[in-house]
Amino acid sequence: MAALITGAFAAALEANRDACNQRIAEVVRTVPSFDARALSADLRDVVAPIVDVVDRAGHGFTTQVAMTLFGITVDLHATGRFEPVIAEGWTRVLPVLAGPLAADPPGVVGPLTNALAYLSAHPGARAQDWIDRVVAVIATGAAIDVVWRAGQVAAWRCGVAEHRDGALAIAATLDPAVLDAVLGASPADLVRLAADPWFDPADASASASRPASLLVGGFRGFGGPFVRPPVVTLEGARVVADDGDERWYVLADAFGSAVVRAGAESGRAAPARSDPGVASGTGAATTIPAALAGVTEITSWVAVPGALVATSALSHAIAFVKVTP
């Protein structure tokens, strides 16, 4: 026999029994795949302990917290999106945010849930590492708006490479204790972080020992972005990959990598294979740097801070080869 929901959450459910039953009945009627047992288990094992923490803290508004969590949990189950990472994030983050959670339940649960869902869906993002860093930021006593801003920095630190520029801008506004909690960095480290994509202030020795090359992208049939081997050019400071079908921005640093579809505003132009710094597939353009000797049948290459970026006729992946400044 399954354990029952008890405590403050059980009391809130009883006080709002009709509304709760009606919501679940609507989902059962409209979502054939809805699993009521799984919902009950998550309400009992994930939500009830959080509500109990808020109730014991004495901030008030326990019922509002309970009903917010109930509604969001039902909605996530109805759409098949109550993933393990959301359960873990709620379990670890919400109890240490009891005060802000009581003051504004949707304003805390919503952003946290959205962040966890985004990280879960992002290839290469380390959601559990992100949770660790957000909990560390909360432990500094930071206000809730600072927690969310630091969370954006943590997303970059945990593999969301496309957030690099925005994260560096936010990091410059954080107090030293928060900056250390989220990045393992001091304010003095930010200059080097901005200049050296491969610098990890939390462990400089690890930065130096990371693999000398990184492969980014891949064949669309296997979950990557490219339908055929791409070539690369530079658009300002950004690496642009073109597979003849679409254009993509390609990013990589010490913390992760990403391939992001280029916006229509960037225009479309065939890669200029004969431009200085871009190698030709026939070998007619420029001398290929010795650092790229490990890349076979190079079709294009560009230089970015700390790395050479090259493509091969034999691969749908793009190679980032680290070079010493």
Side-chain angles (χ1 to χ4, degrees):
M1 182 176 179
L4 298 176
I5 296 171
T6 60
F9 188 42
L13 292 176
E14 178 62 27
N16 294 271
R17 178 190 296 181
D18 291 345
C20 292
N21 287 341
Q22 181 178 352
R23 177 69 186 111
I24 292 175
E26 290 173 355
V27 175
V28 169
R29 184 174 63 252
T30 58
V31 183
S33 61
F34 177 68
D35 187 341
R37 289 187 179 182
L39 171 66
S40 295
D42 285 328
L43 291 175
R44 180 190 66 233
D45 299 336
V46 177
V47 175
I50 297 168
V51 176
D52 283 342
V53 169
V54 172
D55 188 58
R56 288 195 299 270
H59 297 295
F61 305 102
T62 299
T63 298
Q64 289 89 326
V65 171
M67 290 301 96
T68 296
L69 288 170
F70 171 83
I72 293 176
T73 303
V74 172
D75 289 346
L76 290 172
H77 270 271
T79 54
R81 294 182 295 123
F82 197 85
E83 302 175 15
V85 70
I86 291 177
E88 180 177 353
W90 282 17
T91 298
R92 295 187 56 201
V93 175
L94 292 179
V96 293
L97 282 178
L101 178 59
D104 182 10
V108 172
V109 180
L112 175 62
T113 304
N114 289 340
L116 292 166
Y118 177 80
L119 290 164
S120 178
H122 190 287
R126 301 177 293 279
Q128 291 175 335
D129 186 10
W130 184 87
I131 294 169
D132 291 341
R133 292 176 186 278
V134 168
V135 170
V137 169
I138 295 168
T140 69
I144 189 64
D145 63 312
V146 175
V147 171
W148 297 145
R149 287 194 288 120
Q152 295 178 60
V153 179
W156 164 52
R157 177 62 181 79
C158 296
V160 185
E162 61 266 41
H163 286 188
R164 173 182 173 84
D165 291 344
L168 284 169
I170 294 171
T173 71
L174 299 176
D175 290 339
V178 175
L179 186 60
D180 181 57
V182 74
L183 273 183
S186 69
D189 289 323
L190 293 180
V191 174
R192 184 174 173 188
L193 268 169
D196 181 359
W198 308 105
F199 172 56
D200 181 353
D203 190 346
S205 62
S207 290
S209 64
R210 281 193 175 89
S213 63
L214 174 71
L215 295 178
V216 181
F219 177 48
R220 188 174 299 178
F222 296 148
F226 305 125
V227 296
R228 56 183 63 85
V231 292
V232 291
T233 54
L234 287 178
E235 184 178 281
R238 293 184 290 191
V239 176
V240 179
D242 193 321
D243 64 356
D245 184 56
E246 292 187 79
R247 301 174 75 250
W248 308 78
Y249 297 129
V250 186
L251 311 99
D253 62 15
F255 306 133
S257 62
V259 181
V260 182
R261 183 174 282 104
E265 73 281 357
S266 66
R268 179 176 176 83
R273 295 173 183 256
S274 61
D275 285 353
V278 181
S280 168
T282 62
T286 60
T287 301
I288 297 172
L292 295 178
V295 182
T296 305
E297 293 197 26
I298 291 175
T299 53
S300 65
W301 66 269
V302 295
V304 295
L308 296 171
V309 185
T311 59
S312 166
L314 305 180
S315 176
H316 290 77
I318 297 170
F320 279 71
V321 179
K322 290 167 58 176
V323 295
T324 302

